[in-house]
């Protein structure tokens, strides 16, 4: 692995790295800064020598992103419209269909091509059509209206799939803490849910073409994730 000096993660990647680091207790380094599309996004080596890699991706949402960019340019609020099929008690079916889609298979192939003890796929949604299901997967069910989710049959070599659910800012300050809900399916262990806190100052700016950043650049301090000797053998 050979990451270029000064390589940085995109905002969605950094969110995934931060929450995974808290859950797994590892330090994740960029794996694709010099490897292009053939390399996974992140890699790590645990204290016990376990080598892990992760690919971070979302179902395609080109039309939605185009509309958001147009709304920003025209000074309009970014909105979504349309309905989402509920598909109650079919969350595992929804997940299976996502993992079988061409965009997912391309990312899974990338993971399968690399040597690792653990291969993680981290999914997030850009539109409510996907986020709706991810929110339900990561729900804490505090209202006791539990929705059962069946086990998943993961593709060969894939050890974990993460689904990023809703996020909530804990304060109205320029820099504040955000709670992120997650659902994780781990081969052999099944479903797990987490709530992780991350700090806005630890994140890169949002994509300039879609949203203005109210935070001055000097106030942001994202982690340096360029490769170290410890992760050099993680591919």
């Amino acid at each position: 692995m050979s990451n270029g000096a000064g390589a940085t993660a995109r905002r969605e990647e950094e969110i995934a790295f931060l929450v995974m680091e808290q859950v797994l207790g590892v330090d994740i380094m960029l794996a694709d800064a010099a490897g292009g599309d053939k390399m996974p996004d992140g890699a790590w080596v645990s204290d016990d020598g376990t080598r892990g890699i992760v690919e971070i991706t979302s179902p395609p949402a080109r039309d939605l992103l185009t509309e958001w960019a147009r709304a920003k340019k025209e000074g309009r609020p970014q909105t979504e419209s349309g309905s989402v099929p509920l598909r109650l008690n079919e969350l595992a079916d929804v997940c299976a269909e996502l993992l079988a889609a061409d965009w997912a298979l391309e990312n899974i192939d990338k993971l399968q091509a690399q040597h690792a003890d653990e291969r993680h796929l981290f999914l997030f949604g850009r539109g409510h059509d996907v986020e709706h299901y991810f929110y339900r997967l990561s729900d804490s069910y505090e209202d006791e209206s539990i929705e059962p989710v069946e086990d998943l049959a993961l593709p060969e070599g894939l050890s974990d799939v993460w689904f990023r659910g809703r996020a909530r800012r804990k304060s109205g300050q320029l820099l504040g803490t955000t709670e992120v809900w997650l659902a994780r399916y781990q081969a052999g262990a099944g479903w797990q849910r987490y709530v992780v806190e991350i700090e806005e100052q630890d994140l890169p700016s949002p994509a300039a073409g879609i949203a203005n950043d109210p935070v001055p650049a000097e106030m942001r301090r994202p982690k340096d994730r360029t490769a170290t000797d410890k992760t050099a053998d993680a591919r």
Side-chain angles (χ1 to χ4, degrees):
M1 181 190 315
S2 176
N3 287 337
T8 58
R10 296 187 299 272
R11 185 177 175 89
E12 295 291 354
E13 291 176 336
E14 189 63 28
I15 291 172
F17 289 155
L18 288 173
V19 298
M20 290 182 67
E21 285 181 332
Q22 290 193 47
V23 172
L24 301 177
V26 299
D27 287 313
I28 301 177
M29 297 295 155
L30 282 171
D32 63 353
D37 290 339
K38 295 182 180 180
M39 293 295 295
D41 292 315
W44 67 90
V45 178
S46 302
D47 291 338
D48 63 2
T50 299
R51 292 171 290 189
I53 56 176
V54 61
E55 182 69 11
I56 302 158
T57 189
S58 171
R62 295 182 183 88
D63 291 344
L64 179 61
L65 291 175
T66 298
E67 174 53 31
W68 283 353
R70 184 181 298 115
K72 181 199 172 186
K73 184 176 181 180
E74 297 173 357
R76 296 184 286 108
Q78 296 171 358
T79 60
E80 288 186 70
S81 61
S83 60
V84 177
L86 286 180
R87 299 190 62 176
L88 291 175
N89 301 321
E90 294 183 11
L91 287 177
D93 296 328
V94 172
C95 295
E97 291 166 13
L98 286 172
L99 294 175
D102 289 343
W103 62 268
L105 293 176
E106 291 173 1
N107 288 280
I108 293 169
D109 287 345
K110 187 186 304 185
L111 291 169
Q112 291 172 330
Q114 302 298 320
H115 174 65
D117 300 304
E118 297 180 4
R119 298 179 180 88
H120 296 241
L121 184 67
F122 190 103
L123 303 179
F124 64 93
R126 296 190 185 276
H128 188 62
D129 58 333
V130 175
E131 289 178 331
H132 168 77
Y133 297 111
F134 289 5
Y135 291 175
R136 285 160 55 191
L137 281 170
S138 60
D139 197 333
S140 61
Y141 297 104
E142 293 178 356
D143 61 359
E144 299 183 0
S145 57
I146 296 176
E147 182 176 5
V149 187
E150 301 295 331
D151 288 346
L152 299 181
L154 296 183
E156 181 69 27
L158 203 63
S159 62
D160 299 75
V161 182
W162 302 70
F163 303 86
R164 200 186 84 191
R166 67 180 73 253
R168 181 179 64 190
R169 288 291 294 272
K170 295 183 66 176
S171 74
Q173 298 176 351
L174 191 62
L175 291 175
T177 301
T178 297
E179 291 181 332
V180 183
W181 276 257
L182 302 158
R184 171 191 180 193
Y185 187 81
Q186 183 180 22
W191 287 101
Q192 301 164 68
R193 295 180 177 88
Y194 311 93
V195 180
V196 175
E197 293 186 356
I198 58 176
E199 301 295 331
E200 182 63 31
Q201 69 176 8
D202 295 332
L203 297 175
S205 299
I210 296 176
N212 293 322
D213 188 3
V215 179
E218 62 271 17
M219 295 179 68
R220 293 192 178 276
R221 299 183 180 89
K223 184 176 179 178
D224 179 4
R225 297 190 180 278
T226 51
T228 65
D229 291 341
K230 186 177 180 181
T231 58
D233 295 326
R235 60 176 177 171

